[in-house]
Amino acid sequence: MDVRGWWGLGGGVVVDVVVVGGGVVGLTCAVRLQGEGARVAVVTADEPARTVSRIAAAVWYPTHTEGDPRVLDWARRTFDELSEQARRAVPGVVMRPTRMLLRGGDGSLPWWAAAVPDFRSTAPTGPAGGHLGEWRFTVPSVEMGPYLDWLLGRFTVAGGVLLRRRLARLADVAELAPVVVNATGLAAGVLAGDDAVHPARGQIVLVGNPGVHVSVRDEDNPAGMTYVHPRSEDVVLGGTFERDVWDTTPDEATGRAILDRCVALVPELSGAPVLAQLVGLRPARHGGARVAIDPVGLPGGRRLVHAYGHGGAGVTLAWGCADEVVELCRGPVAG
Ligand SMILES: Cc1cc2nc3c(=O)[nH]c(=O)nc-3n(C[C@H](O)[C@H](O)[C@H](O)COP(=O)(O)OP(=O)(O)OC[C@H]3O[C@@H](n4cnc5c(N)ncnc54)[C@H](O)[C@@H]3O)c2cc1C
């Protein structure tokens, strides 16, 4: 049987790598692989615009990630790439001044400060009283609607093929290419048989932007994690980080509480029209993201490279992880 024809890869199309997953992690890997000369197909159950990645806030900030050297390297590389994209006016990418309000701590800098050129620690400023100090820094901030469109456009213009299929098993694409990248986010728990993968539910409220442009975070607010991320037309208000909760329906009371906390943090938001309430399940993983060659692989000696479990930092780590995925895909493969 001509499996390529069955998959819509007819017409003499041959690929070097199949990336399973069309969220920010999969598309970024696909684009990076193309940059190294690989012919790439992306197989995705959902359109990129209907992924968790589309819901992301999505600012560069390595929250809930391990502070190990590999993660710092991924975060730094992504910071540099997104900063360059902001300079080139890539759709949806801007550099955003940020205040992180501190409620405690010993005054030491966060492990990721080394990746942020203008990071500084200051006395409290602004209206949000009761805080012991602030971190101030400028980081990339991404509007995922236009950005995913841009990534997808870049991928297809370079000859990439996007196929819509929900795989029952990763082995179902083993015959299409010598290397398969598993970038299926939360679904990797089942597809890779990985018990460490779990959802971290995030609820956000979108309001019209009354003219604010600084991101403000109060992560340790005892009433709940609080953040305000302005975008071109709206402001993302958050949020929640609820491990092992699978419910994707926005909760009214939670939404109201988010709004109240954010208005207390940034009073200019008072009266801003509520545009939407959204919930996304972050693909969290105990032990951090899995970016590694699978020790067993796929039938026919095909290589399987995992890239999933980025939790609340998929946008923050995407380009650095993609660099590592490219390295893991290199080299001869059986078949
Ligand atoms: C409210 C909220 C706020 C966030 N804020 C931030 C932020 O500020 N900064 C940040 O860095 N991150 C943020 N995140 C986290 C970020 O959204 C995720 O880390 C990131 O989107 C994960 O990307 P992914 O490509 O791994 O997964 P996903 O976007 O979930 O994509 C998974 C892909 O796999 C495909 N797939 C799944 N199963 C199958 C199958 N069986 N067959 C074929 N394809 C399949 C899906 O269709 C999809 O294309 C936030 C998340 C939420 C919910």
Side-chain angles (χ1 to χ4, degrees):
M1 182 177 65
D2 176 6
V3 288
R4 289 179 190 280
W6 183 73
W7 274 92
L9 279 177
V13 176
V14 175
V15 292
D16 301 305
V17 183
V18 171
V19 175
V20 186
V24 69
V25 173
L27 288 179
T28 306
C29 287
V31 165
R32 268 291 197 252
L33 284 159
Q34 287 178 318
E36 295 299 310
R39 294 157 298 184
V40 184
V42 169
V43 177
T44 176
D46 309 285
E47 295 293 343
R50 301 186 66 84
T51 58
V52 176
S53 298
R54 175 65 182 81
I55 295 171
V59 293
W60 185 99
Y61 194 82
T63 44
H64 301 97
T65 57
E66 309 289 308
D68 69 44
R70 204 168 160 222
V71 177
L72 179 58
D73 183 53
W74 295 337
R76 192 198 304 264
R77 284 167 180 266
T78 307
F79 188 102
D80 292 347
E81 174 64 32
L82 291 175
S83 304
E84 175 57 21
Q85 291 181 10
R87 202 189 57 75
R88 285 191 283 122
V90 165
V93 189
V94 297
M95 299 302 287
R96 178 79 58 199
T98 307
R99 297 169 56 209
M100 164 71 186
L101 308 181
L102 303 175
R103 289 177 178 268
D106 57 7
S108 58
L109 302 187
W111 57 271
W112 45 264
V116 181
D118 70 349
F119 184 96
R120 62 197 193 285
S121 202
T122 71
T125 60
H131 295 94
L132 301 177
E134 287 185 29
W135 295 333
R136 296 181 76 104
F137 46 88
T138 309
V139 290
S141 159
V142 182
E143 292 193 33
M144 293 307 285
Y147 189 65
L148 288 171
D149 287 349
W150 175 80
L151 271 179
L152 186 55
R154 190 170 155 182
F155 171 67
T156 48
V157 162
V161 183
L162 186 91
L163 304 166
R164 278 283 309 281
R165 291 283 158 81
R166 184 172 297 278
L167 303 184
R169 304 169 315 149
L170 294 169
D172 291 348
V173 288
E175 287 187 61
L176 297 182
V179 180
V180 173
V181 174
N182 171 22
T184 56
L186 188 57
V190 171
L191 291 169
D194 185 342
D195 292 342
V197 177
H198 59 280
R201 181 180 185 276
Q203 180 164 338
I204 54 174
V205 180
L206 302 184
V207 298
N209 192 335
V212 296
H213 70 281
V214 176
S215 270
V216 186
R217 320 185 70 112
D218 183 10
E219 299 265 320
D220 300 324
N221 186 331
M225 163 198 209
T226 305
Y227 55 77
V228 171
H229 294 312
R231 304 196 292 192
S232 56
E233 304 290 331
D234 57 11
V235 187
V236 182
L237 311 183
T240 68
F241 194 99
E242 303 160 79
R243 288 192 192 272
D244 297 311
V245 179
W246 289 89
D247 185 3
T248 55
T249 307
D251 176 71
E252 271 302 317
T254 304
R256 258 196 316 276
I258 290 171
L259 196 55
D260 289 348
R261 294 201 301 275
C262 289
V263 169
L265 193 60
V266 179
E268 296 96 306
L269 293 170
S270 174
V274 173
L275 306 177
Q277 301 226 31
L278 301 172
V279 170
L281 303 182
R282 301 173 182 91
R285 181 173 183 269
H286 300 298
R290 184 179 185 196
V291 180
I293 294 176
D294 188 277
V296 177
L298 292 172
R302 303 305 168 97
R303 181 176 305 167
L304 175 61
V305 175
H306 295 294
Y308 64 82
H310 295 74
V315 179
T316 305
L317 305 177
W319 289 93
C321 284
D323 286 344
E324 187 154 342
V325 165
V326 167
E327 291 309 315
L328 297 175
C329 289
R330 279 187 207 281
V333 190

